[in-house]
Amino acid sequence: MENVLFEKRGHAALITIARPKALNALNSETLKELNEALDLISADSDIYCAIITGAGEKAFVAGADISEMKDMNVFEARNFGLLGNKVFRKIELLSIPVIAAVNGFALGGGCELALSCDIRIASENAKFGQPEVGLGITPGFGGTQRLARTVGVPKAKEMIYAGSNINSEEAYRVGLVNRVVPSDKLMDEVFAVANKIAANAPIAVQLCKTAINRGIQADIDTGLNFETEVFAECFASQDQKDAMEAFVEKRKVERFNNK
Ligand code: DAK
């Protein structure tokens, strides 16, 4: 892969979008490589948490690649939108939690990439925005849908209609990011969260992700029924037996085995 780096550290996978010449902007090639990296994660049952970040200190992802989009016709634009939406939906539906480590500009497709992750941790210099209307287009990788679901309809409408950026402090205030940390501490903090997640029972964590994601789109009774199902499913796992046995014996379970 040319524009996407993939590495494993313990039970965490790190995906880095690395196109420094364009502030990590997403062209079709990069989206395809990101898709490949996600497939590597899906195929590896030893990965319990993933992190997505951008290379360098200036940008997470400065958007979809404007140079590539510039001359697209309607047909090509639709295909580009379909590709981005397919990849970002794959992130959302990945069985394991995904953390966005937002280390600078997260604009347009960059903000949308962060929104498709479960948790967003931002550095102090991060900037978020959906500037598409200033380029004569609408957000095309989920921004009109996920931003409103995350920060609420009025704030999302203001950000999208005005195309103005918000800094990390405001992003925290409106609930777009989980926390803001000093830039030089970002990856340490993100790995600390990833390792904390990875230290819990993987099957239970993954079922929590599915239950939250499904429930949030459904009415409360459907959501609660689904929760009951996943709760029951945990009792088919060895990890549940080991952890509860350890608790009643007043010891800590040594480690979970994802079984
Ligand atoms: N695409 C391509 N190249 C980009 C880029 C981008 N999004 N962002 C930055 N670059 C390139 C710059 O052109 C420059 O390249 P060179 O001139 O050095 O060759 C290099 O990165 C460094 O950028 P700057 O020189 O501009 O750096 P500054 O510090 O001065 O400014 C900036 C940083 C982030 C404020 C500025 O680069 C900027 O405004 N970038 C564009 C941000 C933006 O508008 N992003 C949203 C893109 S639109 C859809 C599908 C997808 C989408 C919509 C619809 N459908 C199919 C329906 C998504 C749209 C978007 O994401």
Side-chain angles (χ1 to χ4, degrees):
M1 289 188 275
E2 229 174 82
N3 304 321
V4 173
L5 311 175
F6 179 82
E7 65 179 282
K8 239 176 105 174
R9 290 193 206 167
H11 289 297
L14 175 63
I15 293 176
T16 307
I17 312 292
R19 260 193 97 213
K21 64 175 181 184
L23 298 184
N24 307 325
L26 300 170
N27 58 3
S28 303
E29 200 43 50
T30 308
L31 284 169
K32 285 177 191 156
E33 290 181 15
L34 177 56
N35 193 44
E36 277 177 50
L38 297 172
D39 287 342
L40 292 177
I41 291 175
S42 299
D44 188 340
S45 59
D46 202 40
I47 298 175
Y48 300 164
C49 189
I51 297 163
I52 299 180
T53 193
E57 285 163 16
K58 193 167 168 181
F60 172 67
V61 164
D65 192 299
I66 299 168
S67 316
E68 185 180 344
M69 286 190 291
K70 186 172 78 65
D71 296 320
M72 281 180 184
N73 60 31
V74 172
F75 178 75
E76 289 162 337
R78 182 172 292 114
N79 281 342
F80 189 56
L82 285 173
L83 173 65
N85 271 326
K86 184 185 96 173
V87 176
F88 289 11
R89 185 73 175 136
K90 194 182 258 191
I91 294 170
E92 205 165 45
L93 294 177
L94 217 56
S95 59
I96 58 167
V98 184
I99 305 173
V102 184
N103 55 317
F105 290 111
L107 304 178
C111 188
E112 291 165 313
L113 174 60
L115 282 164
S116 69
C117 298
D118 297 275
I119 293 169
R120 285 162 288 285
I121 300 180
S123 61
E124 284 166 344
N125 70 331
K127 286 213 163 48
F128 297 80
Q130 299 288 161
E132 285 87 347
V133 291
L135 293 163
I137 58 173
T138 59
F141 295 158
T144 59
Q145 304 306 306
R146 292 194 184 94
L147 188 62
R149 283 167 166 82
T150 305
V151 302
V153 172
K155 187 67 194 172
K157 284 183 169 173
E158 183 193 336
M159 284 177 70
I160 290 172
Y161 298 166
S164 45
N165 298 342
I166 61 172
N167 62 22
S168 53
E169 212 177 286
E170 186 171 359
Y172 177 68
R173 198 153 32 81
V174 300
L176 180 51
V177 300
N178 294 61
R179 65 171 93 159
V180 179
V181 300
S183 303
D184 60 340
K185 299 271 185 310
L186 178 66
M187 292 318 288
D188 287 347
E189 291 278 342
V190 169
F191 269 102
V193 175
N195 291 335
K196 196 153 191 225
I197 290 170
N200 286 313
I203 292 169
V205 171
Q206 290 168 27
L207 288 171
C208 287
K209 173 168 175 170
T210 313
I212 294 169
N213 282 358
R214 283 227 200 155
I216 210 78
Q217 309 294 347
D219 64 90
I220 184 79
D221 291 314
T222 306
L224 290 172
N225 283 338
F226 191 72
E227 184 184 78
T228 306
E229 289 312 311
V230 298
F231 174 73
E233 205 176 317
C234 294
F235 288 77
S237 73
Q238 189 60 43
D239 283 341
Q240 172 270 327
K241 298 189 190 339
D242 293 347
M244 290 196 175
E245 191 173 287
F247 178 84
V248 296
E249 290 172 4
K250 303 206 180 303
R251 57 181 174 83
K252 268 203 136 186
V253 68
E254 265 172 46
R255 67 188 184 96
F256 290 105
N257 294 302
N258 197 18
K259 288 194 170 92

